[in-house]
Amino acid sequence: MAQSIPAPAQGSFGGRDRNFEKMSPELVLHEDRLFPSDPGQRAIARRLYNGVRNLPIISPHGHTDPEWFAENKAFSDPATLLITPDHYIYRMLYSRGVALESLGIPRTDGGEVERDPRKIWRLFAQHWHLFRGTPTQLWLHHALHEVFGVRERLTSESADRIYDAVSHCLSSPEFLPRALFERFRIEVLATTESPLDPLAHHLKLRRSDWKGRIVPTYRPDPVVDPEYEDFSANVRRLGAITGEDSETWTGYLKALEDRRRFFKSLGATATDHGHVSAATSDLSRSQCESLFEKAVSGTISPAEAELFRGQMLMEMARMSIEDGLVLQLHPGSFRNHNSAIFRGFGRDRGADIPLPTDFVRNLKPLLDRYGNDSRLSIILFTLDESAYSRELAPLAGHYPVLTLGPAWWFYDSPEGMRFYRERTMETAGFYNTAGFNDDTRAFPSIPARHDVARRMDCAFLARLVAEHRLDEDEAREVAVDLAYRLAKRIYRL
Ligand SMILES: [Zn+2]
């Protein structure tokens, strides 16, 4: 890349050309971003990165909307594509006083919210400085620069020009969802759905002649967590969909198995569980039946609900042994922490806060039963970084069924990734980890997120090479495994 010449800081001197002063600073993506500042290590990181930068993207866990690819309609506007689906963005804006209504987030009571995407974009641009130094800034800069060809920084002054440039792109065929999917070199993309989802878009994709590979992931929280909104109604619907008597323990399990088969028939290779803790339980049949009855009738206590969720992880592990779906556990998020936001806007509105998570004691019942079964594969994620070296690396470095998912959510960040490798590699190695996944709703940020992960892993490996702890040819191989092969292998894709 040609060396960019940074524009002078805005408003620092008087008497400049008026037009020049109107320009926003140039948007520069530095070739060496995220690499070590030590010149020796940096040179190694560059070489390693050159071996992985253009590898296809494996995206085995995420939250993009399969409708985009099934319908392949143009994305409507820059705000709906880049701002509204991204809770990283609106949690930060909300924290500095921006009302969710003004960002167009729908209210549960159907009340008025901003509908003009250009106004939403301007508001975002006005607050863009809040994201300085955050991964969101890295991701958006990458998307604007690499996907949309934007060459000036987002400011209040440039907001309209950038909006127009992105809008213009979105109206052309090269920016349709399927075209972007191909341009991003995505080899496979997993979405996430409830067992109650008819998977209509996935069905349509399967029947289409488009070759892009998009698979669902089975996320049963709405039907296995008694504290989930409308749990009882969800269980009834599960019965209606499957033709099983889902209000009996046996019928309920059969219905869950039935939906797993359906997901698998559309390409699913994994399940995902967003439990509040990593608790697992191994209860007797009569205990299961009695807890289930209380859950369905809405009389279950919080402690019993926790036991029930734990039992359901055990049931899901048993089903995984039978049908081969990989089990992902994403515990430790206190969901919908802000009650007013939950009442006003519903779930997933950026009000989720991490909790300390115990894996060693909580996973014991499940590992006692299935921890040595080679047919089972469990991927553990955490929002509790203190657990990496104390619990997770030792667990994954011992039990054959366990691997570690990548640094997740708040730690899907340069510092989070560095810390993750530092705290897990020596005990669990690289090969008890599951590669990278982007876990995003923000489609244009997918290449950016994988690029950050690839750079950070190359930076980490470069240090090992520079310290003569690993030969460069081995590091080169590890870099490819972390960027590509491990995700494919561990997720059975
Ligand atoms: Zn997720």
Side-chain angles (χ1 to χ4, degrees):
M1 195 182 78
Q3 194 57 49
S4 309
I5 302 157
Q10 275 182 303
S12 47
F13 301 101
R16 281 204 315 239
D17 177 287
R18 279 191 108 76
N19 290 329
F20 182 73
E21 267 187 297
K22 273 187 193 164
M23 287 297 291
S24 287
E26 187 183 2
L27 174 60
V28 180
L29 280 191
H30 199 285
E31 235 343 58
D32 286 331
R33 62 191 179 279
L34 301 171
F35 289 162
S37 51
D38 170 77
Q41 284 186 33
R42 172 172 286 204
I44 301 166
R46 275 187 201 147
R47 290 199 293 275
L48 295 175
Y49 176 67
N50 278 333
V52 298
R53 65 186 304 167
N54 292 322
L55 287 173
I57 287 178
I58 305 290
S59 178
H61 176 99
H63 302 271
T64 53
D65 188 343
E67 184 176 358
W68 297 336
F69 309 103
E71 299 300 329
N72 202 32
K73 286 189 190 139
F75 291 109
S76 61
D77 62 81
T80 311
L81 180 62
L82 296 165
I83 300 173
T84 328
D86 195 337
H87 58 81
Y88 290 80
I89 288 182
Y90 47 78
R91 66 177 286 128
M92 178 67 92
L93 296 180
Y94 184 77
S95 77
R96 298 314 309 147
V98 176
L100 294 184
E101 287 90 339
S102 62
L103 294 165
I105 311 300
R107 290 191 53 90
T108 42
D109 64 6
E112 270 306 296
V113 301
E114 183 56 61
R115 296 201 185 279
D116 181 348
R118 187 181 288 273
K119 281 195 188 149
I120 295 170
W121 183 263
R122 284 179 187 155
L123 186 66
F124 172 57
Q126 197 186 321
H127 293 87
W128 182 227
H129 63 282
L130 298 177
F131 295 89
R132 285 175 179 161
T134 67
T136 297
Q137 186 186 43
L138 280 172
W139 299 329
L140 194 87
H141 278 171
H142 188 282
L144 289 175
H145 193 280
E146 296 294 286
V147 182
F148 298 105
V150 171
R151 290 293 180 270
E152 61 179 327
R153 254 194 249 156
L154 183 61
T155 62
S156 290
E157 186 278 321
S158 67
D160 275 353
R161 278 195 305 277
I162 294 178
Y163 184 93
D164 291 335
V166 174
S167 286
H168 181 74
C169 287
L170 294 180
S171 64
S172 71
E174 302 86 66
F175 288 82
L176 290 175
R178 291 180 182 183
L180 284 178
F181 183 99
E182 285 158 11
R183 186 173 148 205
F184 293 168
R185 280 194 292 263
I186 299 176
E187 186 174 310
V188 56
L189 176 78
T191 61
T192 304
E193 286 86 8
S194 147
L196 303 174
D197 192 305
L199 301 186
H201 304 302
H202 285 278
L203 278 163
K204 191 166 175 180
L205 279 164
R206 280 267 149 155
R207 290 180 192 134
S208 79
D209 51 14
W210 183 54
K211 294 282 169 281
R213 188 171 167 210
I214 295 180
V215 300
T217 302
Y218 184 85
R219 171 87 173 231
D221 302 357
V223 288
V224 302
D225 174 4
E227 292 178 313
Y228 206 95
E229 306 93 86
D230 304 321
F231 172 77
S232 306
N234 292 344
V235 169
R236 279 195 299 278
R237 266 183 65 207
L238 183 68
I241 294 169
T242 56
E244 298 289 347
D245 181 3
S246 66
E247 286 173 276
T248 66
W249 175 241
T250 310
Y252 169 68
L253 294 180
K254 275 195 187 156
L256 291 169
E257 286 165 357
D258 182 274
R259 294 309 283 167
R260 291 172 66 108
R261 274 193 293 278
F262 178 58
F263 272 61
K264 207 179 155 184
S265 76
L266 291 176
T269 68
T271 69
D272 183 31
H273 308 274
H275 293 195
V276 73
S277 78
T280 59
S281 359
D282 197 353
L283 306 175
S284 70
R285 188 184 168 85
S286 64
Q287 283 175 301
C288 292
E289 284 172 339
S290 126
L291 279 181
F292 179 63
E293 215 176 284
K294 288 184 187 173
V296 172
S297 61
T299 56
I300 198 161
S301 72
E304 290 169 327
E306 179 73 348
L307 261 184
F308 185 80
R309 283 188 292 267
Q311 180 63 29
M312 291 317 295
L313 275 184
M314 187 69 93
E315 300 294 339
M316 289 288 145
R318 193 241 324 143
M319 291 178 201
S320 279
I321 287 171
E322 288 161 11
D323 63 20
L325 295 183
V326 174
L327 190 159
Q328 301 172 86
L329 183 56
H330 281 91
S333 175
F334 191 129
R335 306 260 170 187
N336 315 310
H337 192 272
N338 185 331
S339 313
I341 291 294
F342 182 58
R343 280 194 304 276
F345 299 90
R347 60 168 41 244
D348 297 331
R349 296 308 183 198
D352 301 338
I353 310 287
L355 283 166
T357 304
D358 174 307
F359 290 89
V360 172
R361 289 189 193 83
N362 275 329
L363 289 178
K364 180 94 167 69
L366 190 142
L367 293 172
D368 278 345
R369 192 171 272 274
Y370 298 126
N372 305 294
D373 192 317
S374 60
R375 294 167 298 174
L376 182 61
S377 169
I378 297 176
I379 305 176
L380 298 176
F381 293 79
T382 194
L383 291 176
D384 180 356
E385 287 183 305
S386 74
Y388 281 149
S389 51
R390 190 187 60 242
E391 302 193 24
L392 289 168
L395 281 167
H398 170 72
Y399 280 101
V401 299
L402 297 179
T403 46
L404 301 184
W408 171 43
W409 198 337
F410 299 101
Y411 312 119
D412 180 4
S413 65
E415 300 303 336
M417 289 172 186
R418 192 195 328 263
F419 191 77
Y420 168 77
R421 291 286 175 214
E422 282 171 355
R423 296 302 165 105
T424 64
M425 189 275 296
E426 289 176 312
T427 303
F430 290 108
Y431 292 89
N432 278 306
T433 65
F436 179 66
N437 64 62
D438 52 76
D439 197 6
T440 191
R441 293 171 170 74
F443 183 49
S445 77
I446 286 180
R449 290 171 195 248
H450 286 261
D451 189 63
V452 170
R454 289 172 186 192
R455 285 172 182 274
M456 289 310 298
D457 280 335
C458 290
F460 182 78
L461 287 164
R463 178 163 69 86
L464 298 190
V465 172
E467 291 170 359
H468 302 290
R469 297 162 68 187
L470 189 66
D471 286 334
E472 191 166 334
D473 62 316
E474 289 184 286
R476 230 178 0 251
E477 213 172 283
V478 174
V480 174
D481 288 327
L482 299 181
Y484 178 76
R485 292 190 206 118
L486 274 171
K488 238 177 127 158
R489 189 185 313 151
I490 305 281
Y491 278 88
R492 301 176 176 171
L493 284 162

